[in-house]
Amino acid sequence: MARRKKIYEGKAKILYEGPEPGTIVQYFKDDATAFNNKKKATLEGKGVLNNRISEFVMVNLGRMGVPTHFIRRLNMREQLCREVEIIPVEVICRNVAAGSICQRLGIEEGEPLPRSIVEFCYKNDALGDPLVAEEHVTAFSWATTQELDDIISLTLRINDFLSGMFAAVGIRLVDFKLEFGRLYEGDMVRTVLADEISPDSCRLWDIETNEKLDKDRFRRDLGNVTEAYAEVARRLGIMRETQRAANDESDL
Ligand code: 5GP
């Protein structure tokens, strides 16, 4: 098959031109990075799992009316998406204290937060994606006030839905990172969910034991990283097909 034109290569994904104008193909790599690229590894099978988990999440969010860039999964590592203009802000939503908020505010990991908190980081690797205020987002025209309102209300809806979805399979949604994009449709522009939602971009803890089932296993050298991602897929009921796809891939 002829290779498509590469548009962009990120740390965990490659974007290719899609088969039709206005589409892209997201390819999920096995590469993992942390601490602003200082720690790197290849985790065999991670890309297959994230492709499948992100598909599951995007499809279910779409069903409840959250607009997303996702069109369909193409194969075990690729999905077809609408091409969007990425808003250069990472949106983080937290339910339980973990990660950078603990260091910043001196809160104990695992402390439930008084309410869900939405934070913004400026997407800039050279600066280490710094935390910014809503004021910065609009003042520097990274997003309009209307877009920011849409982003916050979509993020809280996504949080409610995903918290329930994961709780139903014994997983606590501690926090997660979202990216949004502008989808141009004729004269109209819509704010849609983009990128991926997977154990790379969420903190997911077993509800009973607090065992980490996410990228913190890689960040903190806890081992069994892909096994934890596979456990998330298994609990969501998508493991059998994913395992078959991974086996097919190793047979190639
Ligand atoms: P923290 O700010 O505590 O490091 O991260 C909060 C949440 O956002 C975590 O679930 C983390 O995995 C996610 N997150 C933050 N920055 C990034 C990023 O650059 N890439 C990905 N994939 N996830 C991120």
Side-chain angles (χ1 to χ4, degrees):
M1 190 175 69
R3 250 298 155 214
R4 290 149 290 200
K5 187 175 161 206
K6 194 191 280 189
I7 302 172
Y8 171 81
E9 178 154 4
K11 293 170 213 153
K13 291 189 296 295
I14 306 174
L15 304 185
Y16 295 101
E17 257 179 14
E20 286 134 37
T23 64
I24 58 142
V25 172
Q26 275 201 137
Y27 176 96
F28 287 74
K29 299 194 282 187
D30 283 343
D31 297 351
T33 67
F35 310 120
N36 205 15
N37 238 351
K38 288 187 189 84
K39 180 170 179 166
K40 293 182 196 179
T42 302
L43 304 169
E44 204 181 321
K46 178 179 81 86
V48 173
L49 287 158
N50 280 354
N51 184 23
R52 198 63 187 80
I53 294 169
S54 194
E55 172 200 18
F56 181 86
V57 172
M58 292 279 177
V59 165
N60 281 291
L61 285 172
R63 282 185 187 144
M64 64 145 232
V66 172
T68 82
H69 73 153
F70 181 84
I71 301 174
R72 67 173 184 277
R73 184 166 58 88
L74 295 171
N75 54 51
M76 57 230 176
R77 285 190 184 272
E78 295 181 328
Q79 47 184 243
L80 184 66
C81 298
R82 290 180 185 85
E83 185 173 31
V84 298
E85 182 181 274
I86 289 288
I87 292 171
V89 171
E90 293 189 342
V91 182
I92 291 170
C93 182
R94 301 179 188 274
N95 299 308
V96 176
S100 65
I101 197 172
C102 295
Q103 287 148 19
R104 218 167 37 237
L105 303 182
I107 309 174
E108 190 88 15
E109 182 180 86
E111 189 87 14
L113 296 169
R115 62 182 169 84
S116 302
I117 294 174
V118 178
E119 296 175 347
F120 303 95
C121 295
Y122 177 43
K123 258 173 78 70
N124 185 314
D125 279 343
L127 299 175
D129 298 339
L131 182 73
V132 294
E134 285 182 37
E135 275 287 288
H136 297 103
V137 175
T138 51
F140 291 112
S141 300
W142 297 328
T144 65
T145 310
Q146 179 62 56
E147 285 171 336
L148 194 56
D149 284 351
D150 291 346
I151 286 171
I152 294 169
S153 65
L154 283 169
T155 299
L156 293 173
R157 277 177 67 199
I158 292 166
N159 184 42
D160 280 348
F161 177 75
L162 292 187
S163 294
M165 185 189 86
F166 282 118
V169 296
I171 293 174
R172 177 171 293 121
L173 179 61
V174 170
D175 58 32
F176 57 96
K177 185 264 303 181
L178 302 176
E179 294 192 21
F180 291 89
R182 298 184 186 98
L183 179 62
Y184 292 93
E185 292 172 318
D187 292 344
M188 299 284 289
V189 52
R190 269 204 302 163
T191 307
V192 306
L193 179 65
D195 196 49
E196 70 178 295
I197 299 183
S198 73
D200 266 7
S201 57
C202 302
R203 283 197 176 92
L204 303 167
W205 295 355
D206 181 275
I207 273 183
E208 300 292 334
T209 65
N210 285 338
E211 185 189 2
K212 296 179 199 308
L213 301 170
D214 56 62
K215 196 171 157 187
D216 272 350
R217 298 202 73 84
F218 169 68
R219 294 187 188 101
R220 299 185 184 190
D221 291 323
L222 298 176
N224 296 329
V225 185
T226 44
E227 288 80 358
Y229 287 33
E231 175 63 11
V232 173
R234 188 193 67 76
R235 291 197 196 182
L236 292 173
I238 55 182
M239 188 52 195
R240 225 169 293 146
E241 197 190 318
T242 310
Q243 192 61 57
R244 209 168 34 231
N247 290 344
D248 288 350
E249 187 179 50
S250 62
D251 288 346
L252 289 178

